[in-house]
Short mmCIF file of all heavy atoms in Angstrom, two decimals:
data_model
loop_
_atom_site.label_atom_id
_atom_site.label_comp_id
_atom_site.label_asym_id
_atom_site.label_seq_id
_atom_site.Cartn_x
_atom_site.Cartn_y
_atom_site.Cartn_z
N GLU U 1 -6.57 -10.72 0.62
CA GLU U 1 -6.70 -12.10 1.03
C GLU U 1 -6.29 -12.30 2.48
O GLU U 1 -6.84 -13.18 3.17
CB GLU U 1 -5.78 -12.99 0.13
CG GLU U 1 -6.29 -13.09 -1.30
CD GLU U 1 -5.37 -13.92 -2.21
OE1 GLU U 1 -4.30 -14.38 -1.68
OE2 GLU U 1 -5.71 -14.11 -3.39
N LEU U 2 -5.40 -11.46 2.96
CA LEU U 2 -4.96 -11.54 4.35
C LEU U 2 -6.15 -11.30 5.29
O LEU U 2 -6.38 -12.08 6.24
CB LEU U 2 -3.86 -10.52 4.60
CG LEU U 2 -3.15 -10.57 5.94
CD1 LEU U 2 -2.16 -11.74 5.99
CD2 LEU U 2 -2.40 -9.27 6.22
N LYS U 3 -6.88 -10.24 5.05
CA LYS U 3 -8.01 -9.94 5.93
C LYS U 3 -9.20 -10.86 5.68
O LYS U 3 -10.04 -11.01 6.58
CB LYS U 3 -8.42 -8.47 5.80
CG LYS U 3 -8.85 -8.04 4.45
CD LYS U 3 -9.11 -6.51 4.43
CE LYS U 3 -9.55 -6.01 3.06
NZ LYS U 3 -9.74 -4.55 3.04
N GLN U 4 -9.27 -11.47 4.51
CA GLN U 4 -10.32 -12.46 4.28
C GLN U 4 -10.03 -13.74 5.06
O GLN U 4 -10.96 -14.38 5.58
CB GLN U 4 -10.42 -12.76 2.77
CG GLN U 4 -11.05 -11.64 1.97
CD GLN U 4 -10.99 -11.88 0.46
OE1 GLN U 4 -10.55 -12.94 0.01
NE2 GLN U 4 -11.42 -10.90 -0.31
N LEU U 5 -8.78 -14.10 5.14
CA LEU U 5 -8.39 -15.30 5.87
C LEU U 5 -8.71 -15.15 7.36
O LEU U 5 -9.22 -16.06 8.01
CB LEU U 5 -6.90 -15.60 5.69
CG LEU U 5 -6.51 -16.34 4.43
CD1 LEU U 5 -4.98 -16.34 4.29
CD2 LEU U 5 -7.02 -17.78 4.44
N ASP U 6 -8.40 -13.98 7.92
CA ASP U 6 -8.66 -13.69 9.33
C ASP U 6 -9.06 -12.24 9.48
O ASP U 6 -8.21 -11.34 9.41
CB ASP U 6 -7.41 -14.00 10.16
CG ASP U 6 -7.70 -13.98 11.66
OD1 ASP U 6 -8.74 -13.42 12.05
OD2 ASP U 6 -6.90 -14.57 12.42
N PRO U 7 -10.35 -11.94 9.68
CA PRO U 7 -10.82 -10.58 9.79
C PRO U 7 -10.16 -9.80 10.93
O PRO U 7 -10.21 -8.56 10.94
CB PRO U 7 -12.32 -10.74 10.08
CG PRO U 7 -12.67 -12.08 9.45
CD PRO U 7 -11.47 -12.94 9.69
N ALA U 8 -9.52 -10.51 11.87
CA ALA U 8 -8.83 -9.81 12.96
C ALA U 8 -7.69 -8.93 12.45
O ALA U 8 -7.23 -8.02 13.14
CB ALA U 8 -8.30 -10.83 13.97
N TYR U 9 -7.24 -9.22 11.23
CA TYR U 9 -6.15 -8.45 10.64
C TYR U 9 -6.66 -7.33 9.74
O TYR U 9 -5.87 -6.73 8.99
CB TYR U 9 -5.23 -9.37 9.82
CG TYR U 9 -4.41 -10.30 10.66
CD1 TYR U 9 -4.87 -11.59 10.96
CD2 TYR U 9 -3.18 -9.92 11.20
CE1 TYR U 9 -4.14 -12.46 11.75
CE2 TYR U 9 -2.44 -10.78 11.98
CZ TYR U 9 -2.93 -12.03 12.25
OH TYR U 9 -2.19 -12.90 13.04
N GLY U 10 -7.96 -7.06 9.81
CA GLY U 10 -8.55 -6.06 8.91
C GLY U 10 -7.95 -4.68 9.09
O GLY U 10 -7.61 -4.02 8.12
N ASP U 11 -7.80 -4.24 10.32
CA ASP U 11 -7.24 -2.91 10.57
C ASP U 11 -5.78 -2.82 10.13
O ASP U 11 -5.37 -1.81 9.53
CB ASP U 11 -7.35 -2.55 12.06
CG ASP U 11 -8.81 -2.34 12.50
OD1 ASP U 11 -9.65 -2.10 11.62
OD2 ASP U 11 -9.05 -2.41 13.72
N ASP U 12 -5.01 -3.86 10.43
CA ASP U 12 -3.60 -3.85 10.02
C ASP U 12 -3.49 -3.84 8.51
O ASP U 12 -2.63 -3.18 7.93
CB ASP U 12 -2.90 -5.11 10.57
CG ASP U 12 -2.43 -4.90 12.01
OD1 ASP U 12 -2.10 -3.75 12.37
OD2 ASP U 12 -2.43 -5.86 12.76
N ALA U 13 -4.36 -4.61 7.84
CA ALA U 13 -4.31 -4.65 6.38
C ALA U 13 -4.67 -3.30 5.78
O ALA U 13 -4.04 -2.87 4.80
CB ALA U 13 -5.30 -5.74 5.85
N GLN U 14 -5.65 -2.62 6.39
CA GLN U 14 -6.04 -1.32 5.86
C GLN U 14 -4.92 -0.30 6.07
O GLN U 14 -4.64 0.50 5.15
CB GLN U 14 -7.32 -0.85 6.61
CG GLN U 14 -7.84 0.50 6.11
CD GLN U 14 -8.26 0.48 4.65
OE1 GLN U 14 -8.70 -0.53 4.15
NE2 GLN U 14 -8.06 1.60 3.98
N ALA U 15 -4.30 -0.32 7.24
CA ALA U 15 -3.19 0.60 7.50
C ALA U 15 -2.00 0.35 6.58
O ALA U 15 -1.37 1.27 6.07
CB ALA U 15 -2.74 0.50 8.97
N THR U 16 -1.75 -0.94 6.33
CA THR U 16 -0.64 -1.32 5.42
C THR U 16 -0.99 -0.88 3.99
O THR U 16 -0.10 -0.41 3.25
CB THR U 16 -0.40 -2.81 5.45
OG1 THR U 16 -0.15 -3.24 6.80
CG2 THR U 16 0.78 -3.21 4.58
N ARG U 17 -2.23 -0.99 3.61
CA ARG U 17 -2.67 -0.57 2.26
C ARG U 17 -2.44 0.93 2.06
O ARG U 17 -1.99 1.37 0.99
CB ARG U 17 -4.14 -0.92 2.07
CG ARG U 17 -4.77 -0.36 0.79
CD ARG U 17 -4.19 -0.98 -0.47
NE ARG U 17 -4.65 -0.35 -1.67
CZ ARG U 17 -5.81 -0.65 -2.30
NH1 ARG U 17 -6.58 -1.62 -1.80
NH2 ARG U 17 -6.16 -0.06 -3.40
N GLN U 18 -2.73 1.71 3.07
CA GLN U 18 -2.51 3.15 2.97
C GLN U 18 -1.03 3.49 2.78
O GLN U 18 -0.67 4.33 1.95
CB GLN U 18 -3.07 3.84 4.21
CG GLN U 18 -4.59 3.80 4.31
CD GLN U 18 -5.10 4.37 5.62
OE1 GLN U 18 -4.34 4.73 6.51
NE2 GLN U 18 -6.41 4.45 5.75
N LEU U 19 -0.18 2.83 3.55
CA LEU U 19 1.26 3.03 3.39
C LEU U 19 1.76 2.54 2.03
O LEU U 19 2.61 3.19 1.42
CB LEU U 19 1.99 2.27 4.52
CG LEU U 19 1.84 2.82 5.93
CD1 LEU U 19 2.49 1.89 6.94
CD2 LEU U 19 2.44 4.23 6.03
N LEU U 20 1.20 1.43 1.58
CA LEU U 20 1.57 0.90 0.27
C LEU U 20 1.20 1.87 -0.85
O LEU U 20 1.99 2.12 -1.77
CB LEU U 20 0.88 -0.47 0.05
CG LEU U 20 1.05 -1.10 -1.32
CD1 LEU U 20 2.51 -1.48 -1.58
CD2 LEU U 20 0.15 -2.32 -1.45
N ASP U 21 -0.03 2.39 -0.78
CA ASP U 21 -0.48 3.35 -1.81
C ASP U 21 0.41 4.57 -1.88
O ASP U 21 0.81 5.01 -2.98
CB ASP U 21 -1.92 3.77 -1.53
CG ASP U 21 -2.94 2.65 -1.78
OD1 ASP U 21 -2.53 1.63 -2.36
OD2 ASP U 21 -4.09 2.80 -1.36
N THR U 22 0.70 5.12 -0.71
CA THR U 22 1.57 6.31 -0.68
C THR U 22 2.96 6.01 -1.20
O THR U 22 3.55 6.76 -1.99
CB THR U 22 1.64 6.86 0.75
OG1 THR U 22 0.31 7.13 1.23
CG2 THR U 22 2.46 8.16 0.78
N PHE U 23 3.49 4.88 -0.77
CA PHE U 23 4.82 4.42 -1.23
C PHE U 23 4.86 4.30 -2.75
O PHE U 23 5.79 4.79 -3.40
CB PHE U 23 5.12 3.09 -0.55
CG PHE U 23 6.22 2.29 -1.18
CD1 PHE U 23 7.58 2.61 -1.00
CD2 PHE U 23 5.91 1.16 -1.95
CE1 PHE U 23 8.57 1.84 -1.58
CE2 PHE U 23 6.89 0.40 -2.53
CZ PHE U 23 8.22 0.74 -2.35
N TYR U 24 3.85 3.69 -3.32
CA TYR U 24 3.79 3.47 -4.76
C TYR U 24 3.64 4.80 -5.50
O TYR U 24 4.31 5.04 -6.51
CB TYR U 24 2.66 2.52 -5.07
CG TYR U 24 2.42 2.27 -6.54
CD1 TYR U 24 3.42 1.77 -7.36
CD2 TYR U 24 1.16 2.53 -7.13
CE1 TYR U 24 3.21 1.54 -8.70
CE2 TYR U 24 0.94 2.28 -8.47
CZ TYR U 24 1.96 1.80 -9.25
OH TYR U 24 1.75 1.56 -10.60
N GLN U 25 2.76 5.65 -5.02
CA GLN U 25 2.53 6.93 -5.68
C GLN U 25 3.78 7.81 -5.68
O GLN U 25 4.15 8.42 -6.68
CB GLN U 25 1.36 7.66 -5.01
CG GLN U 25 0.03 6.96 -5.25
CD GLN U 25 -1.06 7.49 -4.30
OE1 GLN U 25 -0.83 8.42 -3.52
NE2 GLN U 25 -2.24 6.88 -4.37
N VAL U 26 4.43 7.89 -4.50
CA VAL U 26 5.64 8.72 -4.40
C VAL U 26 6.76 8.13 -5.25
O VAL U 26 7.53 8.88 -5.88
CB VAL U 26 6.09 8.85 -2.94
CG1 VAL U 26 7.44 9.52 -2.82
CG2 VAL U 26 5.05 9.60 -2.12
N GLY U 27 6.82 6.81 -5.31
CA GLY U 27 7.82 6.15 -6.14
C GLY U 27 7.63 6.45 -7.63
O GLY U 27 8.63 6.71 -8.34
N GLN U 28 6.38 6.49 -8.05
CA GLN U 28 6.12 6.87 -9.45
C GLN U 28 6.51 8.33 -9.73
O GLN U 28 7.10 8.62 -10.76
CB GLN U 28 4.61 6.68 -9.75
CG GLN U 28 4.17 5.23 -9.86
CD GLN U 28 2.66 5.14 -10.14
OE1 GLN U 28 1.85 5.62 -9.38
NE2 GLN U 28 2.34 4.57 -11.26
N GLN U 29 6.15 9.19 -8.81
CA GLN U 29 6.50 10.60 -8.96
C GLN U 29 8.02 10.81 -9.00
O GLN U 29 8.53 11.58 -9.80
CB GLN U 29 5.90 11.41 -7.81
CG GLN U 29 4.39 11.48 -7.81
CD GLN U 29 3.81 12.03 -6.54
OE1 GLN U 29 4.57 12.45 -5.65
NE2 GLN U 29 2.49 12.03 -6.41
N MET U 30 8.72 10.06 -8.16
CA MET U 30 10.18 10.17 -8.14
C MET U 30 10.79 9.71 -9.45
O MET U 30 11.64 10.40 -10.04
CB MET U 30 10.73 9.31 -6.99
CG MET U 30 12.25 9.26 -6.91
SD MET U 30 12.85 7.90 -5.86
CE MET U 30 12.40 6.46 -6.86
N ALA U 31 10.34 8.54 -9.93
CA ALA U 31 10.89 8.02 -11.18
C ALA U 31 10.58 8.96 -12.34
O ALA U 31 11.43 9.21 -13.21
CB ALA U 31 10.32 6.62 -11.45
N ASP U 32 9.38 9.48 -12.33
CA ASP U 32 8.99 10.41 -13.42
C ASP U 32 9.86 11.68 -13.36
O ASP U 32 10.25 12.21 -14.41
CB ASP U 32 7.51 10.76 -13.27
CG ASP U 32 7.00 11.55 -14.45
OD1 ASP U 32 6.90 10.99 -15.56
OD2 ASP U 32 6.70 12.76 -14.29
N ALA U 33 10.12 12.14 -12.13
CA ALA U 33 10.96 13.34 -11.99
C ALA U 33 12.39 13.07 -12.49
O ALA U 33 12.99 13.92 -13.17
CB ALA U 33 10.98 13.77 -10.53
N TYR U 34 12.93 11.93 -12.18
CA TYR U 34 14.29 11.60 -12.66
C TYR U 34 14.32 11.60 -14.17
O TYR U 34 15.26 12.10 -14.80
CB TYR U 34 14.70 10.21 -12.15
CG TYR U 34 15.41 10.21 -10.80
CD1 TYR U 34 14.82 9.66 -9.69
CD2 TYR U 34 16.68 10.76 -10.69
CE1 TYR U 34 15.46 9.65 -8.46
CE2 TYR U 34 17.34 10.77 -9.45
CZ TYR U 34 16.71 10.20 -8.36
OH TYR U 34 17.38 10.19 -7.14
N ILE U 35 13.28 11.01 -14.80
CA ILE U 35 13.28 10.86 -16.25
C ILE U 35 13.04 12.18 -16.95
O ILE U 35 13.70 12.53 -17.93
CB ILE U 35 12.21 9.81 -16.67
CG1 ILE U 35 12.60 8.42 -16.15
CG2 ILE U 35 12.06 9.80 -18.20
CD1 ILE U 35 11.50 7.36 -16.32
#
């Protein structure tokens, strides 16, 4: 929705999405390893 509101934020939104995906995936792996 951020990049839909203002396409000027498209690159920032994409870069943030990549960091978010990695953060979430590593977090799942960490929790699974603890358990």
